[in-house]
Amino acid sequence: MSSKRPVFKPYYQDQIMAFPPTLDELVGKKHPVRIVNDIINRINIQGLLDAYQDKGTSSYHPQMLLKVLVYGYVSNVYSSRKLETACKENINFMWLSGMSYPDHNTINRFRGVRLKESLRSVFEEVVRLLAGEGLLSIEEVYTDGTKIEANANKYTFVWKKAIQTNKEKMKKALREIWQYAQSVAKAEDNLPEPPDFTDINPERVQDTVDTLNAVLADKPEVDKKVKNKLKYASKEYPKKLAEYENKEAILGGRNSYSKTDPDATFMRMKEDHMKNGQLKAGYNVQISTSNQFIVNYTIHPNPTDTTTLAAHINQHQASFGKTLKTLTADAGYGSEENYELLKAKDIEAYVKYGMFDKQQSEKYNNNKVFSAQKLFYNHEKDCYICPMGQQMDYIGNAKRITTTGFKQTSKKYQAKNCSNCPLNGACHKSKGNRIIEINENLEKHKELAYELLNSEEGIEKRKQRCHDVEPVFGNIKQNHGFRRFMLRGKEKVAIEWGLLAIAQNIRKKAA
């Protein structure tokens, strides 16, 4: 048998040190917490200091609380209670806070109230600092959006369509009662003209049921079911309509909202764990990036990216005092309104439109020989020539207004005789003579976009977009597990995403 024994390093738990180490010595020299500390020390936080009043008791220093919050988001600690614990137990947080121990109420109040007006300026200062170091460009960006679930119960929804359906049921019931009242009071001829039920409101409904009650009150032959309907309408309809008006005011231009977070809209989430794209209350988060640094962010209640670009660009201009030079985005932003906006602001738009990717394939071009874009156009006669050589003459304009109020105009052209054409059925599926609509302004924008996107610089930007903006969302949502907001309301959600944006930029700098 071997007589050797295992050798252990000395272990003296109660050993007294002559010179105890400081917290600074225990924090690694290249640890990300030092970058957080350095950046917050270098930026101007006067806007945050202005959020405090001169009167009252002393407060924790906002610079310290900002460092704690930002480092919390850098290290995936989002809860105010966990941040409170970290300031007492985690060496990095203890060093950052200078051994201060703010409780979770203080941290939550600082995040939700103090940062409301000042976080945007803090974010902008960080972006300017990084731009000054040559790490990013404020003028050339890549833009994309993602949907993030709100802190809301998915069963507390209010739908615009349901409200409209219920109002239509009310109108129908009132019309039926009114028609019955007319038949009952026909001999007396004392029933006034029927009211206009096109647009009902609580006051109009109340006047209507009062009139009906007055007419039918002394009629013993009134059907019992009609009496019950009128009684229910008298009691419930004005109250219900007032409730619907309040809900419609909250909806604004949206189709839905959540009762637990009225600013959140129900959207189809791609990242649902069931992989079936369930509808959940959420926000549409838009970002612009440069070299995987977030340069700008905005929060939107509407699920489509198309309608977010104007507000997003305006925020960039408000933040940095100048417009962009170039913007690169996918087909979700390729609308006539957005192309017009970018042109008006003199921004070079590397923005795809809906069919751009398909147009790159030879198979698509061969299969679309009958599409309106493939037809020959005669400029002198202002007409198109169909595949059989038939002239399609201009017959007028089609005008539309988008949900944002943008006016679109398309020219309509119609063939003269499609019934006996041998290509009928292959050329188009409509019953009568073929009609095509051409939005000339949009087609011009598409031609310009096609040239830009297929230029040498355009190809590089298309490649770079996939490696610039999309990995940022992937890093935040997959690597750092942030898929659901903790705070409620658009203002607080914007604060939370602002902290995530600052954290992303600091992590990128540390890398």
Side-chain angles (χ1 to χ4, degrees):
M1 292 179 63
S2 174
S3 60
K4 291 185 178 181
R5 294 183 178 181
V7 179
F8 300 106
K9 294 183 182 295
Y11 174 59
Y12 305 111
Q13 189 176 4
D14 298 323
Q15 176 69 49
I16 298 174
M17 296 183 180
F19 300 101
T22 63
L23 287 174
D24 185 71
E25 292 174 314
L26 297 176
V27 175
K29 297 301 180 185
K30 295 184 178 180
H31 197 280
V33 72
R34 292 191 180 274
I35 298 177
V36 172
N37 186 65
D38 176 59
I39 287 179
I40 302 302
N41 282 340
R42 290 166 63 189
I43 64 173
N44 181 5
I45 60 166
Q46 188 58 48
L48 178 56
L49 298 176
D50 292 340
Y52 287 79
Q53 297 179 351
D54 296 334
K55 299 178 181 179
T57 185
S58 60
S59 305
Y60 285 107
H61 201 288
Q63 189 179 47
M64 179 272 290
L65 291 172
L66 180 61
K67 290 178 182 179
V68 167
L69 259 181
V70 170
Y71 182 64
Y73 279 76
V74 168
S75 54
N76 307 339
V77 183
Y78 309 121
S79 163
S80 58
R81 292 183 182 274
K82 290 182 179 179
L83 287 170
E84 175 188 355
T85 302
C87 287
K88 298 175 182 177
E89 299 177 355
N90 187 302
I91 290 174
N92 298 318
F93 280 95
M94 292 167 69
W95 173 76
L96 204 58
S97 67
M99 297 294 287
S100 297
Y101 306 118
D103 62 20
H104 66 275
N105 285 324
T106 301
I107 295 170
N108 212 30
R109 188 166 55 250
F110 175 78
R111 177 170 54 185
V113 179
R114 303 295 189 188
L115 289 178
K116 187 183 296 184
E117 303 296 334
S118 56
L119 183 66
R120 173 68 68 169
S121 65
V122 172
F123 167 77
E124 291 163 3
E125 286 293 321
V126 173
V127 171
R128 288 191 182 94
L129 179 67
L130 297 173
E133 295 179 3
L135 296 173
L136 60 86
S137 168
I138 293 176
E139 298 177 338
E140 298 184 5
V141 300
Y142 301 85
T143 299
D144 202 0
T146 193
K147 298 176 182 68
I148 295 184
E149 188 178 347
N151 182 8
N153 190 324
K154 63 180 179 180
Y155 299 112
T156 59
F157 43 74
V158 175
W159 294 97
K160 183 178 182 179
K161 191 173 182 180
I163 293 174
Q164 292 172 342
T165 301
N166 290 335
K167 289 173 76 172
E168 287 300 321
K169 288 180 180 178
M170 287 184 181
K171 292 178 187 179
K172 183 180 178 182
L174 288 172
R175 285 194 190 99
E176 289 175 353
I177 298 173
W178 194 276
Q179 289 170 2
Y180 179 83
Q182 281 181 318
S183 66
V184 170
K186 182 168 53 177
E188 301 174 15
D189 197 27
N190 63 350
L191 191 67
E193 288 294 318
D196 181 14
F197 292 118
T198 306
D199 184 23
I200 59 175
N201 55 55
E203 294 76 18
R204 183 172 296 173
V205 169
Q206 188 65 58
D207 291 342
T208 302
V209 296
D210 288 345
T211 303
L212 290 169
N213 279 319
V215 171
L216 300 177
D218 302 327
K219 303 290 186 299
E221 70 276 14
V222 175
D223 189 289
K224 189 175 181 180
K225 289 183 179 179
V226 175
K227 278 188 175 181
N228 289 336
K229 283 184 179 180
L230 183 56
K231 184 179 179 181
Y232 180 81
S234 303
K235 183 180 178 182
E236 298 294 333
Y237 282 11
K239 182 172 62 176
K240 283 286 185 183
L241 276 172
E243 178 187 329
Y244 293 154
E245 283 188 348
N246 182 51
K247 288 179 177 179
E248 286 175 331
I250 296 173
L251 279 167
R254 298 178 292 163
N255 291 321
S256 64
Y257 74 86
S258 169
K259 292 179 184 177
T260 46
D261 184 356
D263 288 345
T265 307
F266 278 82
M267 308 176 182
R268 198 166 294 282
M269 301 288 178
K270 292 180 183 178
E271 293 79 14
D272 185 80
H273 67 282
M274 297 295 289
K275 304 299 181 185
N276 57 3
Q278 291 185 6
L279 285 172
K280 294 181 180 178
Y283 292 91
N284 187 350
V285 179
Q286 297 288 311
I287 63 170
S288 291
T289 65
S290 173
N291 196 24
Q292 295 186 0
F293 289 93
I294 298 178
V295 179
N296 182 29
Y297 67 90
T298 49
I299 310 294
H300 304 266
N302 43 312
T304 55
D305 292 338
T306 312
T307 56
T308 63
L309 190 61
H312 190 71
I313 291 177
N314 289 338
Q315 178 60 63
H316 187 282
Q317 190 168 357
S319 296
F320 304 108
K322 53 186 175 182
T323 56
L324 295 160
K325 285 185 178 179
T326 68
L327 183 141
T328 307
D330 64 13
Y333 302 86
S335 68
E336 181 185 2
E337 181 178 3
N338 288 341
Y339 285 130
E340 283 288 321
L341 170 71
L342 294 166
K343 181 182 178 182
K345 292 185 176 291
D346 199 24
I347 299 172
E348 197 164 30
Y350 295 92
V351 180
K352 295 180 182 179
Y353 47 88
M355 302 301 291
F356 175 79
D357 286 329
K358 288 187 176 181
Q359 286 179 355
Q360 305 305 300
S361 69
E362 188 175 340
K363 182 180 178 181
Y364 171 84
N365 291 320
N366 292 335
N367 290 340
K368 292 293 182 179
V369 293
F370 297 121
S371 68
Q373 284 72 26
K374 293 288 184 179
L375 301 180
F376 175 76
Y377 176 66
N378 188 318
H379 289 271
E380 294 180 359
K381 296 182 179 180
D382 188 20
C383 69
Y384 281 84
I385 307 299
C386 80
M388 285 298 294
Q390 184 181 172
Q391 187 169 304
M392 303 180 71
D393 295 323
Y394 169 71
I395 59 171
N397 291 339
K399 295 186 177 182
R400 297 180 181 86
I401 299 178
T402 66
T403 55
T404 58
F406 182 77
K407 296 178 180 179
Q408 295 178 318
T409 302
S410 299
K411 297 178 73 174
K412 298 168 69 175
Y413 296 85
Q414 186 175 30
K416 294 177 181 177
N417 183 18
C418 293
S419 57
N420 299 321
C421 179
L423 295 177
N424 193 356
C427 178
H428 68 104
K429 304 296 182 183
S430 55
K431 292 182 179 179
N433 294 331
R434 183 182 183 185
I435 298 176
I436 61 172
E437 289 189 18
I438 305 294
N439 186 332
E440 293 183 339
N441 187 43
L442 178 57
E443 292 304 319
K444 289 177 182 176
H445 284 302
K446 285 182 178 180
E447 288 176 9
L448 179 60
Y450 188 89
E451 291 178 7
L452 277 173
L453 289 165
N454 283 300
S455 66
E456 187 175 339
E457 186 176 359
I459 293 170
E460 285 300 314
K461 286 193 175 293
R462 279 160 52 196
K463 291 178 180 178
Q464 180 63 23
R465 189 193 70 81
C466 300
H467 304 296
D468 204 297
V469 63
E470 291 180 5
V472 173
F473 285 132
N475 187 42
I476 292 172
K477 297 169 81 170
Q478 299 295 332
N479 298 341
H480 295 278
F482 192 92
R483 296 186 181 88
R484 191 173 193 258
F485 287 110
M486 298 181 64
L487 306 180
R488 292 176 178 174
K490 186 179 177 182
E491 285 187 344
K492 291 185 178 180
V493 162
I495 292 171
E496 198 166 6
W497 187 261
L499 289 167
L500 283 165
I502 294 171
Q504 164 65 21
N505 289 348
I506 289 175
R507 281 195 297 258
K508 180 64 179 173
K509 177 178 169 58

